[in-house]
Amino acid sequence: MNRINPAKLHNSKWTAIRELNREKHFLITEIEFEEEGKVLSCTLESVLSKKEYLIDWVELKNDAKWLHGWK
């Protein structure tokens, strides 16, 4: 399980274990917070195509799907 600090999530780098639309490397470009400071969702941007994907940030904790950093 990946450990994630929501305060350091912005501009972090991620590698998909299984490619999404033939893309593997992503950056977190936007984060949506609740009033209480909890993360609601975040936006992944593909490094190659600049396509954006909305994702539940809790999915990033699953190390079977995501690796922290670019590998």
Side-chain angles (χ1 to χ4, degrees):
M1 178 171 264
N2 294 318
R3 289 184 159 191
I4 301 173
N5 180 351
K8 296 182 179 182
L9 195 56
H10 191 262
N11 287 331
S12 61
K13 299 173 184 177
W14 293 88
T15 301
I17 298 294
R18 291 189 178 183
E19 295 178 355
L20 298 171
N21 297 327
R22 298 173 49 192
E23 299 168 326
K24 194 169 186 169
H25 297 102
F26 298 88
L27 284 171
I28 302 291
T29 56
E30 292 181 33
I31 304 170
E32 184 179 342
F33 290 96
E34 287 183 343
E35 290 181 15
E36 301 162 359
K38 293 182 181 179
V39 177
L40 291 175
S41 66
C42 57
T43 303
L44 284 173
E45 182 181 297
S46 168
V47 175
L48 285 176
S49 68
K50 303 297 183 197
K51 287 184 186 176
E52 294 184 340
Y53 302 93
L54 283 177
I55 187 171
D56 181 7
W57 78 281
V58 178
E59 288 185 33
L60 295 172
K61 290 184 177 184
N62 186 349
D63 57 3
K65 293 183 178 181
W66 295 99
L67 294 173
H68 190 264
W70 291 339
K71 307 214 171 31

